[in-house]
Amino acid sequence: MIYPETRRTDIVETHFGIDVADPYRWLEGDARTHPEVAEWARAQDALARSHLAGLPGRDHFRQRLAALSDHAQLTAPVKRGQRYFFTRNPGLQDQAVLVMRSGSDGPDRVLIDPNLWSKDGSSALAEWAVSIDGRHVAHAVQKEGSDWRTIRVLDVETGTILPDEICWARFTGIAWAHDGSGFLYCRFPEPPTGNAFDAPAIRHSVWFHTLGTSQDDDRLVHATPEGQVMIHAVSVTADGRYAVILSMPGVGSNTLAIIDLQDPGWTLRPVIETPDYSWSVAGNQGSRFFLATDNGAARGRIVQVDLDDPQLRALDLIGQRDDATLNDAVYLGGRLLVSYQIDARFEIRRHHPDGTPDGTIDLPGIGTAGGFRGHPDDSEVFYVFTGHNAPTTICRYDMGTRQQTIWARPDVDIDLDRIAVEQRFCRSADGTRVPMFVVRRADVQGPAPTILYGYGGFNISMVPYFSPAVLAWVEAGGTYVVANLRGGGEYGKAWHDAGRLANKQNVFDDFIAVAEYLKSEGIATADGLAVQGESNGGLLVAAVVNQRPDLFAAALAGVGVMDMLRFARFTNGQFWTSDFGDPNQEADFRNLLSYSPYHTICPGVRYPAILVSTADTDDRVVPAHSFKYTAALQNADLGDRPRILRVEMRAGHGTGKPVGQALDEIADLWAFAAQWTGLDMARQGSSCPESQ
């Protein structure tokens, strides 16, 4: 394969006595303002799409992905009086719409349709919140996948958009004051250059917007202290009395402050002042707050804090479990609902407000449950259930009678009884037990072409969820495996800590151990294992390919962090130092250099086929990471398998992507993986699995 020519420079910098070459630094330029970068990216993308379009399985996967995705997808509703607000996508519509239903089973009315906002479907409805009286919906507009938001307000009765416009919101929630006068939100300062794409994520702050006024008149509620880097999350308690602000220097720890909204001065009262542990608010009964934390309990516990107590003592309410990890807690219908992960599977337990047990909620199967919505004084509660072979279902649960019904469950174009899901475990290099989920057709028992997916970072758990993309691969005869690696949140704080900072190599060792296990146990074929990941998972894929290229036939590295020495210089990269470390500190620098994908490519070694994917407007993990990494791959002698770059246009890090665009991308990924793992696409002439 002949790759586009890439200019090399002689940039070499010395850090802590080590000379580091960076010949492709010019590719850090924004393609929208740097013509040379834009031309290079277009040439790379043209080569990739030409190659991918000619692969034998591409059309089959695109057709099946469309069929498997063509079902109604709803979110759990927000209840205001007898009105229920939720989003709905009938299946293949580019963007979900916001709907209001009169009564839980009454007629629907579309309130907001983002498909009308742009011709190519690249504008999406992001965060939204309904005022307590149900009169207004504040909603965030996301354009081209960017993390930046513009917040507008809809008058529900008239269907008109109010003149109110909030700009430069980012990493924000929307929390209404209970009198409907306005809402709290989070924003950054307007970028001084007007170039929002590469603006640093500093000086995050919490504001209050009063309806009918200009954003210039908004009230500053809380600002990041000078010299600190924080991201804030704001909410209002169900009784409307308090605002809660969580402030995070990174992932896995935060401070907590509370504002009594009845106090005209809105004085911020610190509750947790040092960000050493994770704290979240499950709810409150007046001044008594229920908090979930890993302070003194690596796998999580529930404590209570009374604001009337001058010492703000945290008193035990529900202790840590040895067999499970606390995932979430919420106070609804007069009970605390506490969700736990047990080897990445979910269990929901009920507790009285004094902490005493009150039974469990019977889940529809083995899978993931969450997204609880309701009110402390209303027995009607909704939640979402999903699994690898369980379509995303909205359940309605009565806290008083304990009766449960299905509020929405889609019909999908596949016989799910033919899909087998199995949880297995293997041992990592240091003996750590690592879980994985193996998804395949029930009739596939021997070695098969396999995609192995992983993430391993930022305290994020890889839990079971329904994926038409996974089913398209499995239906075709392949096996899909999701690994639960250290660095995630599956087993609590200690599991996260074991995969970050100086321990990051554990994540790669875990992934390599799973790959070796899949081959030794006859799950993956000898030269039929592809590896996949996005974002931190893209870093994971590229790092393990550099360390063990012999294990993999193909690699799918999406929107990855590839230059570990310069990630903190772009957009919100400085927040990742909590997991990666600080490149400006010698010990962290040396550790980062040891696995940085851009810097540890091994010339002269046969590499797997590699498909790198990114997006031109990704302002979270900027495309420069993928650009530089691809250039370095193509310049090295790594064998005859392709190393290509797919660049999505008018798209960001993943959220808000139009459905059609997303299906095109997955079809390309699966066709590439099929080609190099040996999945027999010649047998896929019919879309009906039973006829194969």
Side-chain angles (χ1 to χ4, degrees), residues 222-492:
H222 178 60
T224 300
E226 194 68 32
Q228 295 186 24
V229 178
M230 289 277 191
I231 290 290
H232 309 288
V234 62
S235 60
V236 172
T237 55
D239 59 8
R241 173 75 182 270
Y242 302 99
V244 176
I245 298 176
L246 307 179
S247 300
M248 296 148 282
V251 174
S253 63
N254 59 275
T255 64
L256 187 157
I258 293 175
I259 298 173
D260 185 344
L261 297 177
Q262 293 183 357
D263 170 17
W266 281 13
T267 304
L268 193 78
R269 183 176 182 184
V271 177
I272 305 298
E273 298 189 66
T274 56
D276 297 325
Y277 299 94
S278 173
W279 298 84
S280 62
V281 174
N284 70 300
Q285 286 185 321
S287 64
R288 181 171 169 252
F289 277 71
F290 309 116
L291 308 179
T293 182
D294 56 16
N295 181 13
R299 300 190 70 169
R301 63 180 176 135
I302 307 293
V303 300
Q304 58 182 342
V305 172
D306 195 329
L307 298 185
D308 290 338
D309 176 5
Q311 298 180 7
L312 291 178
R313 291 167 294 186
L315 305 177
D316 282 331
L317 194 67
I318 303 171
Q320 175 179 242
R321 289 177 56 181
D322 294 331
D323 65 332
T325 301
L326 193 153
N327 181 75
D328 193 16
V330 61
Y331 180 56
L332 298 174
R335 297 291 186 273
L336 278 165
L337 299 180
V338 186
S339 67
Y340 292 96
Q341 292 183 55
I342 304 174
D343 291 331
R345 296 174 296 171
F346 276 63
E347 175 185 281
I348 310 297
R349 293 193 176 187
R350 298 165 46 121
H351 289 265
H352 291 283
D354 64 2
T356 58
D358 188 42
T360 63
I361 293 181
D362 294 329
L363 300 180
I366 296 175
T368 301
F372 283 88
R373 286 180 170 171
H375 191 276
D377 299 326
D378 190 339
S379 65
E380 186 177 44
V381 170
F382 293 88
Y383 72 93
V384 178
F385 179 81
T386 184
H388 289 302
N389 58 355
T392 302
T393 299
I394 311 300
C395 301
R396 180 166 54 188
Y397 180 79
D398 190 300
M399 294 293 294
T401 65
R402 301 177 189 258
Q403 292 185 343
Q404 189 165 199
T405 57
I406 301 300
W407 193 70
R409 179 168 54 197
D411 294 323
V412 295
D413 185 33
I414 189 172
D415 181 3
L416 292 172
D417 290 335
R418 301 184 69 228
I419 306 301
V421 180
E422 181 183 8
Q423 188 173 42
R424 293 200 178 201
F425 301 85
C426 72
R427 294 289 175 180
S428 191
D430 63 357
T432 298
R433 180 173 175 262
V434 179
M436 72 194 81
F437 287 99
V438 179
V439 187
R440 51 188 171 178
R441 282 197 335 234
D443 63 325
V444 175
Q445 295 298 317
T450 298
I451 295 176
L452 169 61
Y453 183 88
Y455 188 80
F458 295 93
N459 202 36
I460 296 174
S461 300
M462 295 292 101
V463 296
Y465 69 99
F466 187 76
S467 169
V470 170
L471 292 179
W473 177 263
V474 169
E475 178 190 68
T479 297
Y480 197 89
V481 179
V482 179
N484 299 106
L485 312 172
R486 281 177 284 185
E490 289 87 347
Y491 295 104

